[in-house]
Amino acid sequence: MLGFLLARQAGLDDPLRLRRAESTRRVLGLELNKDRDVERIHGSGVNTLDIEPVEARYMLSGGSDGVIVLYDLENSSRQPYYTCKAVCSVGRNHPDVHKYSVETVQWYPHDTGMFTSSSFDKTLKVWDTNTLQTADVFNFEETVYSHHMSPVATKHCLVAVGTRGPKVQLCDLKSGSCSHILQVIFAGHRQEILAVSWSPRCEYVLATASADSRVKLWDVRRASGCLITLDQHNGRKSQAAESANTAHNGKVNGLCFTSDGLHLLTVGTDNRMRLWNSSNGENTLELYSGSRDCNILAWIPSLYEPVPDEEEPTTKSQLNPAFEDAWSSSDEEG
């Protein structure tokens, strides 16, 4: 690290390289918390976790055994060493337990009275936390890989669901009936949908990731649907190339928006993570991975506004029109 500092002080090194080196050093220094443990309930692997956003006190876990467990993360003992206890669980003997592996669990964004789960048993279940009974069940024709509820929606209660088919399905929680699986289904992917995520900045914008190496952004209000298909080459590669309009060189099996909704993070089976500008779909190239023997990936968000190229000045017209109204605000200008 001293060598990086000396090189930077002499003006021989880029400041971004120094930030990346320091971030990687900190990541490599991370250790598991030795003061806190979690009670083991699952009999096999844990596939998904979600901490409720209201108090950040309760955590859901879903396992490959079909079991769902609710944990209390608060240290009620006031001791320096403690174990987070399970409050309740949907075990194998529960009448509504998932038959197969639970792939996603999510708290209702506005309170802890409800949560959702989806499974390889081709169902999405809505649970009453207080009674631990299902309030509704949505059945699908294909295996469910992922689902997500918008954290900011006020005008809809849609749950986006990714399945083994190449289409995204929207379930309306307000209807209270599994017959209202919306058949306004967005085509565009060629293989199964492995991950879905609503934007925390615009309640109608949905991101989807697929085994076809593509990531798409959708406006669910539009008939045409697709706003952007992310391109890892930022349009610099020939459209005839095999990897054109692909986000990764492999399946894209994870994605999430940053908390402000301005960027989208994706991860693929090509052992790469990428950070995208969610308004124009640009690959920011702020993510990197090491050599083949390195399993640490680091994301260093830009701390400054990049200087636009004089030949290609950045203008508002370059932004996708779907984001101009919802994503332009005075707080960003400050």
Side-chain angles (χ1 to χ4, degrees):
M1 184 54 64
L2 182 60
F4 279 108
L5 290 173
L6 292 175
R8 179 69 195 109
Q9 187 176 17
L12 302 176
D13 217 341
D14 186 272
L16 181 60
R17 188 164 181 261
L18 174 62
R19 291 206 304 273
R20 285 176 170 168
E22 174 61 15
S23 177
T24 299
R25 184 186 69 82
R26 294 183 182 184
V27 169
L28 290 171
L30 289 176
E31 295 181 354
L32 290 175
N33 190 334
K34 299 178 181 178
D35 300 334
R36 179 185 300 191
D37 198 1
V38 178
E39 183 179 4
R40 181 173 178 177
I41 303 295
H42 293 281
S44 55
V46 178
N47 296 331
T48 174
L49 298 171
D50 190 41
I51 298 176
E52 50 89 7
V54 180
E55 300 178 83
R57 174 176 175 176
Y58 297 104
M59 179 178 72
L60 290 168
S61 66
S64 56
D65 52 3
V67 172
I68 300 173
V69 183
L70 193 157
Y71 293 95
D72 186 349
L73 303 180
E74 187 173 274
N75 181 8
S76 57
S77 67
R78 307 302 178 187
Q79 298 298 318
Y81 304 97
Y82 68 100
T83 298
C84 300
K85 297 294 184 179
V87 176
C88 56
S89 65
V90 181
R92 295 309 308 170
N93 295 325
H94 194 286
D96 297 321
V97 67
H98 284 289
K99 296 179 181 178
Y100 306 123
S101 174
V102 176
E103 294 302 298
T104 308
V105 291
Q106 185 187 6
W107 287 101
Y108 183 63
H110 306 297
D111 64 62
T112 58
M114 185 177 79
F115 66 89
T116 55
S117 64
S118 58
S119 166
F120 273 4
D121 63 9
K122 305 179 182 179
T123 64
L124 166 69
K125 296 186 177 183
V126 182
W127 299 84
D128 184 324
T129 309
N130 297 315
T131 63
L132 219 61
Q133 302 295 320
T134 54
D136 209 344
V137 179
F138 294 85
N139 294 283
F140 301 89
E141 296 180 356
E142 296 171 301
T143 300
V144 178
Y145 288 117
S146 175
H147 79 270
H148 192 239
M149 288 182 288
S150 171
V152 296
T154 59
K155 299 179 181 178
H156 71 76
C157 287
L158 299 176
V159 182
V161 181
T163 68
R164 181 167 289 181
K167 299 176 182 179
V168 182
Q169 304 201 44
L170 301 179
C171 301
D172 190 353
L173 296 182
K174 285 184 178 180
S175 69
S177 171
C178 62
S179 64
H180 283 73
I181 295 175
L182 300 185
Q183 295 305 314
V184 182
I185 306 178
F186 306 122
H189 287 293
R190 300 174 183 175
Q191 298 182 42
E192 58 264 33
I193 309 296
L194 300 179
V196 294
S197 181
W198 292 97
S199 165
R201 195 172 182 89
C202 180
E203 65 180 277
Y204 294 106
V205 172
L206 175 69
T208 60
S210 171
D212 63 6
S213 305
R214 289 174 169 79
V215 174
K216 293 177 178 288
L217 295 180
W218 310 84
D219 185 335
V220 299
R221 298 168 296 181
R222 297 189 174 194
S224 56
C226 186
L227 295 171
I228 305 171
T229 299
L230 302 185
D231 181 5
Q232 60 182 305
H233 306 293
N234 288 331
R236 290 191 295 268
K237 207 159 188 175
S238 169
Q239 291 297 318
E242 183 179 350
S243 61
N245 291 322
T246 58
H248 289 265
N249 296 320
K251 297 179 180 180
V252 187
N253 51 8
L255 82 170
C256 68
F257 283 92
T258 54
S259 57
D260 57 11
L262 297 178
H263 294 87
L264 181 68
L265 182 68
T266 63
V267 60
T269 57
D270 56 356
N271 296 323
R272 295 291 186 272
M273 296 176 67
R274 292 194 168 90
L275 184 71
W276 310 81
N277 183 321
S278 58
S279 64
N280 59 20
E282 180 185 10
N283 180 5
T284 66
L285 306 176
E286 288 289 344
L287 289 170
Y288 67 97
S289 63
S291 59
R292 291 183 180 180
D293 60 348
C294 178
N295 58 359
I296 297 296
L297 301 174
W299 163 39
I300 298 84
S302 178
L303 301 179
Y304 58 89
E305 289 294 328
V307 178
D309 193 338
E310 294 182 358
E311 298 180 356
E312 299 179 2
T314 302
T315 63
K316 186 177 180 180
S317 61
Q318 289 179 283
L319 297 178
N320 193 298
F323 298 94
E324 289 184 0
D325 293 335
W327 292 32
S328 297
S329 60
S330 58
D331 60 329
E332 292 175 7
E333 297 172 0

